Amino acid sequence: MPRLGAIILPGDDSRLADRIYLDHAATTPILPDAMAAVAAGMAQWANPSSPHAEGRAARAALEQARARIAAAYGWTGETILTSGASESLAIALGRAVVDRRLVSAVEHDSVMRAAADAVMLRVDAQGSVDLAMLGQAVGQPGRALVAVQWANSETGVRQRIGDIARIVHAAGALLLVDAAQMPVGADPDVSTHADFVAISAHKRGGPPGIGGLLVRDFATLIPSGGQERGYRPGTENLPGALGFAAALEVPEAIGPLAALRSMLDDAITRSGGEVVAGGHHRHPAIGAYRMRGLPAATQLIRFDMAGIAVSAGSACSSGSMKPSHVLGAMGWSVDASREVVRVSFGRSTTAAEVERFIAEWRSVSRSARAFAA
């Protein structure tokens, strides 16, 4: 039986169990509980919108899953089930009852696409939103929607949601939090203060293709017709919803992951590397690291050949290898930002795996320095 997270390549009969997966911020293995729930949902195949007995049974199961998802996040408002966090963000940014939109300069690419005309909020060198600028911007005429990530998917830097919410609400504005990377229960300020929250199943051990938009008050969101109480068209994904709910009910022990990331931070620093926003308040399981003199694209190849999966930036942008707008907003040069890789942990990550990555990082770094000399 392969360990959780083992990778299988097309045409390869081996389970490649010796590979190390350190890209959990992109997606993390589906938990057995979630797999079982998805399978059960597939057996309950009726359309939840159908009026007959089979449809009503599916509807009851869907609503139970919806309630479980909301309860896991401590949410007392409404819950719209979507295809994932990107769609949730697009719904809130496109249909919130506001006059203008403000987004931080380090938001996910999906936010930048959905709010191309938004006012950009600058961040400091550590990636934190400039609260003085935020206060000035939300005070301008017209109701605003402010979008911020709970934790940046590239650097792990966390925003001060409570402080941001107080400024936003004092101006009569609305707050949208991208919580795709947030472990359940990690920050009560999100469920207490946000007006909209985007969540994703596959980041939390659930199946891909399902997520949600938590909405404080439906009066702040324009409906579009169709399913999901008229706020999202399309047949409801019952198996996905059941899998999402089941995954959220499996506890995430973030303390041990924070210890592993701290160990990695220390080793990278002592080995001549640079920790992005080192010492700042960050996600316990996400770290970004610069290896001077070697492009991230080359690093990724070297690590992959050594059996280690990491990434450069978020999964939605790393394939292009374009300069990171996140690091650029934090004051990094294009050349320096191209030398940064992201390492992210999950439930299956062990100290031995992190130690193996550290050894490989040092080996690759030594090779780069020798070549430069």
Side-chain angles (χ1 to χ4, degrees), residues 91-122:
I91 290 173
L93 288 163
R95 304 217 307 266
V97 183
V98 295
D99 302 299
R100 53 204 179 88
R101 298 170 294 181
L102 314 174
V103 306
S104 88
V106 293
E107 292 307 297
H108 191 272
D109 278 358
S110 61
V111 171
M112 301 305 188
R113 290 192 296 268
D117 60 344
V119 172
M120 204 69 63
L121 299 170
R122 64 175 172 261

Short mmCIF file of all heavy atoms in Angstrom, two decimals, residues 91-122:
data_model
loop_
_atom_site.label_atom_id
_atom_site.label_comp_id
_atom_site.label_asym_id
_atom_site.label_seq_id
_atom_site.Cartn_x
_atom_site.Cartn_y
_atom_site.Cartn_z
N ILE A 91 -17.14 35.24 -8.32
CA ILE A 91 -18.53 35.57 -7.99
C ILE A 91 -18.58 36.79 -7.08
O ILE A 91 -19.33 37.74 -7.32
CB ILE A 91 -19.23 34.37 -7.33
CG1 ILE A 91 -19.45 33.25 -8.35
CG2 ILE A 91 -20.58 34.80 -6.71
CD1 ILE A 91 -19.98 31.96 -7.73
N ALA A 92 -17.80 36.78 -6.02
CA ALA A 92 -17.82 37.89 -5.07
C ALA A 92 -17.32 39.18 -5.71
O ALA A 92 -17.93 40.25 -5.55
CB ALA A 92 -16.97 37.55 -3.85
N LEU A 93 -16.24 39.11 -6.46
CA LEU A 93 -15.67 40.31 -7.08
C LEU A 93 -16.57 40.85 -8.19
O LEU A 93 -16.61 42.06 -8.43
CB LEU A 93 -14.28 40.00 -7.63
CG LEU A 93 -13.19 39.80 -6.57
CD1 LEU A 93 -11.98 39.10 -7.17
CD2 LEU A 93 -12.79 41.14 -5.95
N GLY A 94 -17.28 39.96 -8.85
CA GLY A 94 -18.11 40.40 -9.97
C GLY A 94 -19.53 40.76 -9.60
O GLY A 94 -20.17 41.55 -10.32
N ARG A 95 -20.03 40.25 -8.46
CA ARG A 95 -21.46 40.44 -8.18
C ARG A 95 -21.75 41.03 -6.81
O ARG A 95 -22.93 41.15 -6.42
CB ARG A 95 -22.19 39.11 -8.34
CG ARG A 95 -21.99 38.46 -9.72
CD ARG A 95 -23.22 37.78 -10.23
NE ARG A 95 -23.77 36.83 -9.30
CZ ARG A 95 -23.51 35.52 -9.27
NH1 ARG A 95 -22.65 35.02 -10.14
NH2 ARG A 95 -24.07 34.72 -8.42
N ALA A 96 -20.74 41.42 -6.06
CA ALA A 96 -21.00 42.09 -4.77
C ALA A 96 -21.67 43.44 -5.04
O ALA A 96 -21.38 44.11 -6.04
CB ALA A 96 -19.71 42.29 -4.01
N VAL A 97 -22.56 43.83 -4.15
CA VAL A 97 -23.28 45.10 -4.31
C VAL A 97 -22.39 46.23 -3.81
O VAL A 97 -22.49 46.68 -2.66
CB VAL A 97 -24.62 45.06 -3.54
CG1 VAL A 97 -25.40 46.35 -3.78
CG2 VAL A 97 -25.45 43.86 -3.98
N VAL A 98 -21.47 46.64 -4.66
CA VAL A 98 -20.51 47.70 -4.33
C VAL A 98 -20.29 48.59 -5.53
O VAL A 98 -20.72 48.27 -6.65
CB VAL A 98 -19.15 47.10 -3.87
CG1 VAL A 98 -19.32 46.33 -2.57
CG2 VAL A 98 -18.57 46.21 -4.96
N ASP A 99 -19.63 49.70 -5.30
CA ASP A 99 -19.34 50.65 -6.39
C ASP A 99 -17.92 50.48 -6.95
O ASP A 99 -17.65 50.89 -8.08
CB ASP A 99 -19.50 52.09 -5.87
CG ASP A 99 -20.89 52.35 -5.33
OD1 ASP A 99 -21.85 52.22 -6.11
OD2 ASP A 99 -21.01 52.65 -4.12
N ARG A 100 -17.04 49.92 -6.15
CA ARG A 100 -15.65 49.78 -6.59
C ARG A 100 -14.98 48.66 -5.81
O ARG A 100 -15.51 48.18 -4.81
CB ARG A 100 -14.87 51.09 -6.38
CG ARG A 100 -14.96 51.62 -4.98
CD ARG A 100 -14.72 53.13 -4.89
NE ARG A 100 -14.84 53.57 -3.51
CZ ARG A 100 -13.84 53.60 -2.64
NH1 ARG A 100 -12.63 53.23 -3.04
NH2 ARG A 100 -14.02 54.00 -1.40
N ARG A 101 -13.82 48.25 -6.30
CA ARG A 101 -13.11 47.12 -5.70
C ARG A 101 -11.67 47.52 -5.40
O ARG A 101 -11.02 48.21 -6.20
CB ARG A 101 -13.16 45.91 -6.63
CG ARG A 101 -14.56 45.41 -6.89
CD ARG A 101 -14.61 44.39 -8.00
NE ARG A 101 -14.25 44.97 -9.29
CZ ARG A 101 -14.22 44.30 -10.44
NH1 ARG A 101 -14.50 43.01 -10.44
NH2 ARG A 101 -13.90 44.89 -11.57
N LEU A 102 -11.17 47.04 -4.26
CA LEU A 102 -9.79 47.25 -3.85
C LEU A 102 -9.17 45.88 -3.59
O LEU A 102 -9.78 45.06 -2.90
CB LEU A 102 -9.70 48.09 -2.58
CG LEU A 102 -10.56 49.36 -2.48
CD1 LEU A 102 -10.43 49.97 -1.09
CD2 LEU A 102 -10.12 50.37 -3.54
N VAL A 103 -8.00 45.62 -4.14
CA VAL A 103 -7.34 44.34 -3.91
C VAL A 103 -5.88 44.59 -3.54
O VAL A 103 -5.27 45.55 -4.02
CB VAL A 103 -7.42 43.40 -5.14
CG1 VAL A 103 -8.86 43.21 -5.57
CG2 VAL A 103 -6.58 43.92 -6.29
N SER A 104 -5.33 43.75 -2.70
CA SER A 104 -3.92 43.92 -2.35
C SER A 104 -3.05 43.53 -3.54
O SER A 104 -3.45 42.71 -4.39
CB SER A 104 -3.56 43.09 -1.12
OG SER A 104 -3.16 41.79 -1.48
N ALA A 105 -1.86 44.09 -3.60
CA ALA A 105 -0.96 43.86 -4.74
C ALA A 105 -0.38 42.46 -4.76
O ALA A 105 0.32 42.12 -5.72
CB ALA A 105 0.16 44.89 -4.70
N VAL A 106 -0.64 41.66 -3.75
CA VAL A 106 -0.08 40.31 -3.69
C VAL A 106 -1.15 39.23 -3.79
O VAL A 106 -0.93 38.07 -3.43
CB VAL A 106 0.73 40.12 -2.38
CG1 VAL A 106 1.97 40.99 -2.39
CG2 VAL A 106 -0.12 40.40 -1.14
N GLU A 107 -2.31 39.59 -4.31
CA GLU A 107 -3.39 38.60 -4.41
C GLU A 107 -3.10 37.55 -5.48
O GLU A 107 -2.27 37.74 -6.37
CB GLU A 107 -4.72 39.30 -4.71
CG GLU A 107 -5.25 40.14 -3.58
CD GLU A 107 -5.34 39.38 -2.26
OE1 GLU A 107 -6.10 38.41 -2.18
OE2 GLU A 107 -4.63 39.77 -1.31
N HIS A 108 -3.83 36.45 -5.40
CA HIS A 108 -3.73 35.34 -6.34
C HIS A 108 -4.08 35.82 -7.75
O HIS A 108 -4.85 36.77 -7.93
CB HIS A 108 -4.70 34.23 -5.90
CG HIS A 108 -4.52 32.94 -6.62
ND1 HIS A 108 -5.16 32.65 -7.80
CD2 HIS A 108 -3.78 31.83 -6.32
CE1 HIS A 108 -4.84 31.43 -8.20
NE2 HIS A 108 -3.99 30.91 -7.32
N ASP A 109 -3.50 35.17 -8.76
CA ASP A 109 -3.76 35.55 -10.15
C ASP A 109 -5.26 35.56 -10.49
O ASP A 109 -5.71 36.36 -11.30
CB ASP A 109 -3.05 34.58 -11.10
CG ASP A 109 -1.59 34.94 -11.30
OD1 ASP A 109 -1.14 35.96 -10.74
OD2 ASP A 109 -0.88 34.20 -12.02
N SER A 110 -6.04 34.66 -9.88
CA SER A 110 -7.47 34.61 -10.18
C SER A 110 -8.17 35.90 -9.76
O SER A 110 -9.13 36.33 -10.40
CB SER A 110 -8.12 33.41 -9.49
OG SER A 110 -7.99 33.49 -8.08
N VAL A 111 -7.69 36.53 -8.69
CA VAL A 111 -8.26 37.81 -8.25
C VAL A 111 -7.87 38.91 -9.24
O VAL A 111 -8.69 39.75 -9.61
CB VAL A 111 -7.76 38.16 -6.83
CG1 VAL A 111 -8.14 39.59 -6.46
CG2 VAL A 111 -8.34 37.18 -5.82
N MET A 112 -6.62 38.90 -9.67
CA MET A 112 -6.16 39.91 -10.62
C MET A 112 -6.94 39.83 -11.93
O MET A 112 -7.26 40.84 -12.55
CB MET A 112 -4.66 39.74 -10.89
CG MET A 112 -3.80 39.87 -9.64
SD MET A 112 -4.08 41.44 -8.76
CE MET A 112 -2.78 41.38 -7.53
N ARG A 113 -7.28 38.62 -12.35
CA ARG A 113 -8.08 38.46 -13.58
C ARG A 113 -9.51 38.92 -13.38
O ARG A 113 -10.10 39.56 -14.26
CB ARG A 113 -8.06 37.00 -14.02
CG ARG A 113 -6.73 36.51 -14.56
CD ARG A 113 -6.88 35.17 -15.25
NE ARG A 113 -7.29 34.13 -14.32
CZ ARG A 113 -6.45 33.34 -13.66
NH1 ARG A 113 -5.15 33.48 -13.83
NH2 ARG A 113 -6.90 32.40 -12.85
N ALA A 114 -10.09 38.59 -12.22
CA ALA A 114 -11.50 38.92 -11.98
C ALA A 114 -11.71 40.39 -11.64
O ALA A 114 -12.84 40.89 -11.75
CB ALA A 114 -12.05 38.05 -10.85
N ALA A 115 -10.65 41.09 -11.22
CA ALA A 115 -10.78 42.50 -10.83
C ALA A 115 -9.67 43.32 -11.45
O ALA A 115 -8.92 44.01 -10.77
CB ALA A 115 -10.74 42.61 -9.30
N ALA A 116 -9.58 43.23 -12.77
CA ALA A 116 -8.49 43.90 -13.48
C ALA A 116 -8.53 45.42 -13.32
O ALA A 116 -7.50 46.09 -13.46
CB ALA A 116 -8.54 43.52 -14.96
N ASP A 117 -9.71 45.97 -13.03
CA ASP A 117 -9.85 47.42 -12.91
C ASP A 117 -9.81 47.89 -11.45
O ASP A 117 -10.08 49.06 -11.16
CB ASP A 117 -11.15 47.88 -13.55
CG ASP A 117 -12.38 47.24 -12.89
OD1 ASP A 117 -12.23 46.25 -12.16
OD2 ASP A 117 -13.50 47.74 -13.13
N ALA A 118 -9.47 47.01 -10.54
CA ALA A 118 -9.50 47.36 -9.11
C ALA A 118 -8.35 48.29 -8.73
O ALA A 118 -7.30 48.31 -9.37
CB ALA A 118 -9.43 46.09 -8.26
N VAL A 119 -8.56 49.04 -7.65
CA VAL A 119 -7.50 49.84 -7.07
C VAL A 119 -6.55 48.88 -6.36
O VAL A 119 -6.98 48.01 -5.60
CB VAL A 119 -8.07 50.87 -6.07
CG1 VAL A 119 -6.94 51.57 -5.31
CG2 VAL A 119 -8.95 51.88 -6.78
N MET A 120 -5.25 49.04 -6.61
CA MET A 120 -4.26 48.14 -6.03
C MET A 120 -3.74 48.70 -4.71
O MET A 120 -3.27 49.84 -4.64
CB MET A 120 -3.10 47.95 -7.01
CG MET A 120 -2.33 46.67 -6.80
SD MET A 120 -3.29 45.19 -7.26
CE MET A 120 -3.53 45.45 -9.01
N LEU A 121 -3.83 47.91 -3.67
CA LEU A 121 -3.33 48.31 -2.35
C LEU A 121 -1.89 47.85 -2.20
O LEU A 121 -1.60 46.66 -2.32
CB LEU A 121 -4.20 47.69 -1.25
CG LEU A 121 -5.68 48.08 -1.25
CD1 LEU A 121 -6.44 47.19 -0.27
CD2 LEU A 121 -5.84 49.55 -0.88
N ARG A 122 -0.99 48.76 -1.93
CA ARG A 122 0.41 48.38 -1.82
C ARG A 122 0.66 47.59 -0.53
O ARG A 122 -0.11 47.65 0.42
CB ARG A 122 1.32 49.61 -1.86
CG ARG A 122 1.13 50.57 -0.71
CD ARG A 122 2.16 51.71 -0.76
NE ARG A 122 1.85 52.73 0.23
CZ ARG A 122 1.21 53.86 -0.03
NH1 ARG A 122 0.81 54.13 -1.27
NH2 ARG A 122 0.97 54.73 0.94
#
